[in-house]
Amino acid sequence: MLEKINNLLQEVEGLALNTKEQVEEYRIKWLSKKGEITVLFDEFKTVTPELKKELGQKLNDLKNKAQEKINHLKEKYEAATDSNISSDLDLTLPGDPNISIGSRHPLSIVKNQIIDIFSRIGFTVSEGREIEDDWHNFTALNTPENHPARDMQDTFYVNLNPEMVLRTQTSSVQVHIMENNKPPIRTISPGRVYRNEAISARAHCQFHQVEGLYIDSKVSFADLKQTLLYFSQEMFGKETQIRLRPSYFPFTEPSAEVDISCTICKGKGCNVCKYTGWVEILGCGMVDPQVLDNCSIDSNKFKGFAFGMGIERIAMLKYQVKDLRLFFENDVRFLKQFTSA
Ligand code: DAH
């Protein structure tokens, strides 16, 4: 019996158990009801009294060691499965250099560039809400109910009381800013807008705009023009030229649409600029005095300019993307072509 005990003791001390299953296998082999150690305890009952002390101690020692080993390893492997760490994972290995870290969405890249360009000349960034009331999206902007200009923007209505809209333009943020701040105000408001339009290569029911607003005691149309020239050259290159065409927006007077010289053909004529040498990038104008008054800013003391551009449009021109839908499909093959600092 002593020999058996010693052999088992050696086995317990020397054996490497590498998996949870092995631990269980040896628990049964040693300690279960018919296990080798349990059986030894049965045999122990028949041992002569002279040997009892020595064998008893050895047997207890064997049992404790086996139990300890099983418990310890069981805990270790259970913890490892819990956190999915296998015992042969080498945590000291260097990281995989080929891992893909992803890239920023092209619309975020362009949005950040726009913010960067305007913040260099003192514009802050302000954000509004996407579910807007009629006042901020339309009425305060000189577009009361039944005004024909509402037709320019196919609106999604939100069934609430009072009825709300998904904002059709970030010009709504202008109103919040003017209501809550005193001039001078110099801010841009990037954000998502919604229009009930059929989705095509050139239109979508959701897109992004950046609104710009500058209010102070002496703001002129020349300031507006110079600001937009600065923006266009920073965004599209120093050789870029701009031209302003008279236009109409309910909230600006006078209003203009701004074209830049075609970045593709440099003004010579191509299919992007439809052989005109110019491409439209934004709408702008001097804030209509009525809009200032609507927002509790004294139009006798203050003047301002505003502009609004589509981020998708700028991104399409900058990266020569021909289909607007690509920005929303999130196909990684498309997205990973864009990199930013
Ligand atoms: N809100 C206009 C639109 O969505 C864009 C715009 C035009 C904004 C002229 C302006 C502006 O601030 O002055 O079509």
Side-chain angles (χ1 to χ4, degrees), residues 207-329:
F207 55 100
H208 299 81
Q209 291 186 328
V210 176
E211 185 78 12
L213 179 71
Y214 179 27
I215 313 274
D216 208 339
S217 46
K218 287 183 195 138
V219 178
S220 69
F221 202 92
D223 295 328
L224 169 61
K225 195 177 160 197
Q226 197 58 34
T227 304
L228 296 177
L229 178 64
Y230 157 79
F231 165 73
S232 303
Q233 295 189 337
E234 291 294 305
M235 182 53 100
F236 295 104
K238 288 282 172 239
E239 67 293 342
T240 309
Q241 290 174 19
I242 60 167
R243 75 173 183 188
L244 280 73
R245 285 177 288 107
S247 185
Y248 170 77
F249 297 101
F251 35 85
T252 42
E253 182 57 38
S255 305
E257 274 169 318
V258 177
D259 298 340
I260 55 165
S261 49
C262 181
T263 48
I264 316 284
C265 64
K266 312 277 174 237
K268 283 193 208 80
C270 67
N271 62 357
V272 171
C273 61
K274 303 205 188 74
Y275 300 93
T276 62
W278 297 94
V279 275
E280 185 195 320
I281 59 159
L282 54 82
C284 66
M286 300 305 289
V287 180
D288 191 309
Q290 181 62 51
V291 174
L292 295 176
D293 291 334
N294 287 346
C295 303
S296 317
I297 289 184
D298 187 346
S299 59
N300 293 318
K301 283 200 202 138
F302 295 105
K303 288 173 140 210
F305 69 63
F307 56 86
M309 68 182 95
I311 301 183
E312 282 79 359
R313 184 156 183 80
I314 305 285
M316 284 172 94
L317 284 172
K318 206 170 159 75
Y319 297 121
Q320 297 183 38
V321 175
K322 300 232 160 60
D323 192 326
L324 181 69
R325 290 169 290 199
L326 286 166
F327 292 123
F328 299 102
E329 280 163 4

